[in-house]
Amino acid sequence: MDASSRQPIQDITDDIKRREASARAKFVHPVHDGVIPDDLPDTLIAAQHALAPAIANMSNDSEATPRQPVEYLQERANHRVALASSIAVVLILSTLVSVTLLNR
């Protein structure tokens, strides 16, 4: 920004309105009566969560999981690829050895 361009001077009433608006208390009203503030301060709640053991799942919490974990299925697929490639290598090498022995 160069020195020749100047910002317009703000109206004093705008500044007063801005200060009044920032000084107002803001209230957030709960959606229904079942929403109540915590009895304990936030620091104590955070300390309890950090030090307490894990909270158990609720009785209505359920998951649909496959019979076998995905890692197990992937591991089996990798073993099949390794077995197939090793059989192919053995067959190729045995063919090469038998051809070289027969050609002598």
Side-chain angles (χ1 to χ4, degrees), residues 29-99:
H29 298 287
V31 177
H32 53 81
D33 294 334
V35 178
I36 57 172
D38 291 327
D39 294 333
L40 303 172
D42 291 341
T43 55
L44 186 59
I45 293 172
Q48 286 178 349
H49 284 297
L51 299 174
I55 300 171
N57 287 344
M58 306 219 12
S59 60
N60 62 353
D61 184 19
S62 63
E63 279 182 21
T65 56
R67 280 182 28 188
Q68 297 172 340
V70 175
E71 294 83 14
Y72 176 73
L73 296 175
Q74 182 65 31
E75 187 177 329
R76 286 187 61 191
N78 289 342
H79 286 304
R80 288 181 184 154
V81 170
L83 178 64
S85 61
S86 62
I87 289 174
V89 167
V90 167
L91 286 175
I92 291 170
L93 289 176
S94 62
T95 305
L96 288 175
V97 168
S98 62
V99 167

